[in-house]
Amino acid sequence: LTEEKLGQTERTQYDAEFEALLLLADRSEKWTERMAKASEAVMQPNPAYRVEDFFSGKLEAAGHRRRERPSPLEELGSALVAASSEIGGIGVDEGGGGGIKFTAQTSSDGAAATARYAKSLALAGHAELRLAQLEADFLASCGSAFVAPLRAHLAGDARSLRKERRSLEIFRLDLDWARTRLRRCGDDEAARRAAEQECDKMEAEFEHQLRVTRLLLEGVNATHDYHLNCLNELVAAQLNYHSECLNRLQQLQRQMADKTE
């Protein structure tokens, strides 16, 4: 290896197709890792919370209960509902079909503007809580449909490929060293025969490892097909999430218009 770095010896070269497969595998692994990290950042923008969630997942797998953390939308919705109760004495029940029933009214001498404001706070609060649930469902779909397959690939096939590539590099170095020793045998016939046997043995082991590594490299294309399906599932989940959010906000807008007229 040192002589190779110094340019003092020859090295076995891979064919152009194999080199292209190696390059594709390197690029695929690099961008799969980046896509997984970027997706996790979308799911949880706070890096400290991402670290906490990582260790919480490990503890949960060991039988410990995960600590629930409300999302910003949940906190906003809860604050709006609590504000409506404090300001106007409004209690609400959200029934089936997204309809809201008011269980109390402001006092008869309360200002009409305050009553309208409190009712709108209640409506908006329950809408935000619904949006929080939609967001949680979407993030769960994003994790299972897209991030989990990427992480599984990095921890499984990609790791196995790295291991086989390291083995291939070791076998290549052994073969090149055996060939170098063969060239340096000179006129010593006994040493030459021993070096030839060693060279044949190293070449057979190298060729076997080369075939194994090539098979794994050729599987990268199949992995891309699978990840494409995962990407389609992610886009479908995003479309459904934003569509549901739009419908809920439009419903909220109509309800607030009715209450303020």
Side-chain angles (χ1 to χ4, degrees), residues 120 123-124 127 247-257:
S120 295
L123 290 167
N247 291 337
R248 188 65 187 89
L249 289 171
Q250 288 175 336
Q251 182 186 46
L252 171 63
Q253 191 176 48
R254 290 191 298 269
Q255 290 173 333
M256 290 179 65

Side-chain angles (χ1 to χ4, degrees), residues 24-196:
L24 178 62
D26 287 338
R27 290 175 176 175
S28 178
E29 182 177 3
K30 178 184 75 173
W31 285 105
T32 299
E33 177 68 33
R34 291 190 183 183
M35 288 187 293
K37 287 184 177 180
S39 300
E40 289 165 347
V42 170
M43 295 170 63
Q44 178 47 264
N46 189 319
Y49 284 166
R50 288 202 299 273
V51 174
E52 180 182 327
D53 290 341
F54 173 79
F55 287 107
S56 295
K58 296 291 186 182
L59 292 173
E60 187 177 27
H64 298 275
R65 185 176 180 181
R66 181 191 292 264
R67 182 175 70 87
E68 295 297 332
R69 184 193 314 114
S71 71
L73 278 176
E74 285 180 289
E75 292 181 341
L76 173 60
S78 297
L80 292 173
V81 172
S84 72
S85 179
E86 288 282 338
I87 293 173
I90 300 297
V92 294
D93 291 323
E94 188 166 9
I100 291 181
K101 177 184 177 182
F102 289 89
T103 59
Q105 298 292 337
T106 56
S107 59
S108 58
D109 57 349
T114 299
R116 291 195 299 270
Y117 178 49
K119 290 179 180 179
S120 295
L121 283 173
L123 290 167
H126 280 266
E128 295 296 342
L129 290 173
R130 176 55 182 157
L131 292 179
Q133 183 58 53
L134 291 172
E135 180 186 52
D137 294 342
F138 163 66
L139 294 179
S141 297
C142 179
S144 61
F146 190 66
V147 178
L150 296 185
R151 286 298 181 193
H153 168 70
L154 292 170
D157 293 345
R159 179 178 294 179
S160 297
L161 179 55
R162 288 196 304 271
K163 178 181 177 182
E164 297 301 334
R165 287 178 64 175
R166 285 194 296 269
S167 297
L168 178 63
E169 184 67 5
I170 292 172
F171 282 124
R172 184 194 64 75
L173 288 169
D174 288 344
L175 173 59
D176 287 345
W177 175 234
R179 288 172 173 172
T180 299
R181 283 190 297 175
L182 178 61
R183 288 194 300 269
R184 295 174 180 175
C185 283
D187 297 330
D188 189 337
E189 193 63 29
R192 174 171 290 276
R193 284 196 298 270
E196 287 177 346

